[in-house]
């Protein structure tokens, strides 16, 4: 999957303005040319190894597991990648694609600033210009990432319209791309947007699960009983899950942000409470009003507050292969502190949602069972915010 038109069942596709149809078709063609090209694969895998620091380790979180008194918890340490999150995996892929296509510039949006930093990094590495659109609220919340992007030579565009967060940053970046699609590549930061992006970003992220499956088997002689990952757009989750989709014994759970509670409007639990619809040029579950317009969403984790979700996740929910649960802002903060104090690992607020999911599940399981969490990023970017929230 997807099919030739970019559909995962009923979800996906490429519904773009006529002015962009050719540009998107060009990206699709270029990606198909390089996707299995041995030289491209070698360049990408060499950079994963020598630049990103892959493979990232799998770590048995013994003190956390003992504390919860149930299943053994393992962490896939994407937080240890260069730039501190899984996003560098697809950023390098997209920057190499831009270079292959002869583009002068990459344009993109960012939520928590992680995709922006990853893209700015990859563009510096590959030698191409980078322009990042970011909501004003996120700019204030994630100031260190804004500074990083500037140091890396990237132009940061502040988005002050609408919710001043990720959704409006996407609209703004899309417009910038539309102004000159020939000389730019629009580098999407998750498994969302029009085809081929959900497929392409998934392909660049699936290294996570390929490594983790081998590493976990080597450590334990078995497969994990449960996988858990946070789901914003869904890239780190699908990156871990893809290698295990055929393993029927492996239960797969995605954790969405329940924000201030699923019974309030302030959440971003798209698969849990959304309905099939369309957003940003593709079909997926969407948190929408009666007219089909995307609703304002909220999460304590900037990287998770998006009213849509990847089309493949939408499909995997419908066929029942993946279960989607949620964790609130408060559960996320508790998990953030628990992992920090039990293991000496400060997780990103996004990743802390997955940890929160495991904290709820582990006590219900036996010591012979295991949960493998994708720890998608490190929490350095969030420490000042958390200290203010908790009055530490
Ligand atoms: C961006 C981000 C996410 C959310 O994006 P997905 O595409 O859902 O993975 C999760 N964790 C971290 C650390 C992020 O930076």
């Amino acid at each position: 999957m997807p099919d030739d038109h970019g559909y995962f069942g009923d979800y996906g596709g490429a519904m773009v303005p006529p002015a962009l149809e050719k540009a998107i078709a060009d990206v699709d063609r270029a990606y198909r040319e390089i996707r299995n090209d041995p030289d491209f694969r070698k360049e990408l895998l060499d950079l994963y190894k020598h630049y990103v620091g892959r493979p990232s380790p799998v770590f048995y979180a013994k003190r956390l597991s003992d504390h919860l008194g149930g299943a053994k918890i393992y962490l896939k340490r994407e937080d240890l990648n260069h730039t501190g999150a899984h996003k560098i995996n697809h950023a390098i892929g997209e920057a190499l694609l831009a270079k292959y296509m002869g583009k002068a510039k990459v344009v993109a949006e960012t939520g928590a600033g992680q995709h922006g930093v990853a893209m700015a990094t990859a563009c510096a590495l590959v030698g191409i210009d980078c322009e990042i659109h970011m909501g004003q609220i996120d700019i204030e919340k994630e100031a260190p990432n804004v500074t990083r992007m500037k140091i890396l030579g990237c132009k940061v565009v502040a988005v002050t319209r609408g919710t001043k967060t990720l959704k409006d940053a996407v609209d703004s970046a899309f417009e910038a791309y539309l102004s000159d699609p020939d000389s730019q590549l629009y580098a999407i930061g998750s498994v969302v947007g029009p085809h081929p992006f959900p497929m392409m970003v998934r392909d660049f992220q699936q290294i996570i699960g390929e490594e983790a499956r081998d590493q976990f088997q080597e450590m334990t002689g078995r497969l994990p009983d449960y996988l858990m990952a946070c789901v914003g757009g869904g890239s780190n989750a699908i990156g871990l899950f893809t290698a295990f989709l055929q393993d029927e014994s492996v239960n797969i759970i995605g954790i969405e942000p329940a924000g201030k509670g699923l019974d309030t409007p302030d959440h971003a639990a798209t698969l849990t409470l959304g309905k099939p619809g369309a957003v940003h040029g593709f079909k997926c579950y969407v948190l929408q009003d009666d007219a089909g317009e995307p609703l304002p969403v909220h999460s304590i984790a900037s990287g998770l507050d998006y009213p849509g979700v990847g089309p493949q996740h939408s499909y995997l929910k419908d066929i029942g292969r993946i279960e989607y649960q949620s964790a609130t802002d408060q559960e996320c903060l508790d998990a953030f502190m628990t992992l920090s104090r039990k293991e000496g690992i400060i997780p990103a607020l996004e990743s802390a949602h997955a940890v929160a999911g495991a904290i709820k599940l582990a006590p219900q399981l036996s010591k012979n069972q295991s949960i493998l969490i994708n720890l998608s990023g490190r929490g350095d970017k969030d420490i000042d915010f958390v200290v203010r929230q908790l009055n530490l």
Side-chain angles (χ1 to χ4, degrees), residues 84-87 112 114 189-191 230-237 303-304 348 350-351 376-378 381:
H86 70 289
K87 287 196 176 78
Q114 296 294 95
S190 187
V191 284
C230 65
V231 178
S235 67
N236 87 87
L304 301 182
E350 290 81 7
S351 322
S376 54
R378 67 177 182 230
K381 67 185 177 58

Side-chain angles (χ1 to χ4, degrees), residues 96-301:
L96 288 178
L97 178 67
K99 186 145 198 185
Y100 172 80
M101 294 180 75
K103 304 290 187 189
K105 192 202 239 179
V106 168
V107 56
E109 79 289 334
T110 194
Q114 296 294 95
H115 177 57
V117 170
M119 247 9 273
T121 303
C123 287
L125 170 73
V126 166
I128 199 165
D129 287 348
C130 184
E131 177 180 304
I132 299 292
H133 296 241
M134 187 169 185
Q136 185 62 36
I137 290 179
D138 293 333
I139 286 182
E140 284 156 26
K141 196 161 145 195
E142 312 283 358
N145 275 343
V146 178
T147 307
R148 284 187 189 100
M149 284 186 265
K150 289 182 179 162
I151 290 174
L152 290 162
C154 157
K155 181 179 165 196
V156 181
V157 177
V159 180
T160 53
R161 64 172 101 163
T163 60
K164 304 178 190 172
T165 60
L166 182 61
K167 179 187 160 292
D168 294 282
V170 176
D171 291 337
S172 171
F174 214 66
E175 280 162 28
Y177 177 50
L178 202 56
S179 73
D180 182 11
D182 285 341
S183 74
Q184 311 183 81
L185 178 75
Y186 185 26
I188 294 181
S190 187
V191 284
V192 297
H195 177 71
F197 287 96
M199 167 180 81
M200 202 163 81
V201 171
R202 175 204 61 199
D203 293 351
F204 292 140
Q205 289 295 348
Q206 74 186 24
I207 183 88
I208 299 173
E210 286 165 5
E211 288 174 4
R213 200 172 181 284
D214 287 347
Q215 290 166 315
F216 193 91
Q217 281 186 308
E218 199 179 19
M219 286 170 87
T220 68
R222 331 174 15 195
L223 288 173
D225 295 297
Y226 288 84
L227 301 179
M228 268 195 187
C230 65
V231 178
S235 67
N236 87 87
I238 209 74
L240 175 67
F241 298 165
T242 298
F244 298 88
L245 286 175
Q246 308 301 327
D247 298 312
E248 280 173 25
S249 69
V250 180
N251 301 286
I252 306 183
I253 301 176
I255 306 290
E256 296 196 298
K260 295 176 185 162
L262 295 179
D263 53 352
T264 76
D266 297 322
H267 64 78
T270 309
L271 289 159
T272 309
L273 291 179
K275 290 191 307 257
V279 68
H280 294 133
F282 69 107
K283 291 183 189 162
C284 64
Y285 275 77
V286 183
L287 289 167
Q288 52 191 303
D289 64 17
D290 291 339
E293 284 300 307
L295 287 167
V297 290
H298 161 84
S299 169
I300 194 170

Side-chain angles (χ1 to χ4, degrees), residues 1-16 24 191-199 276-286 309-316 318:
M1 290 202 129
D3 68 17
D4 287 346
H5 304 287
Y7 277 90
F8 302 85
D10 292 336
Y11 305 103
M15 297 167 297
V16 296
I24 292 280
V191 284
V192 297
H195 177 71
F197 287 96
M199 167 180 81
V279 68
H280 294 133
F282 69 107
K283 291 183 189 162
C284 64
Y285 275 77
V286 183
V309 67
Q312 192 171 5
H313 285 285
S314 303
Y315 169 76
L316 289 164
D318 280 4

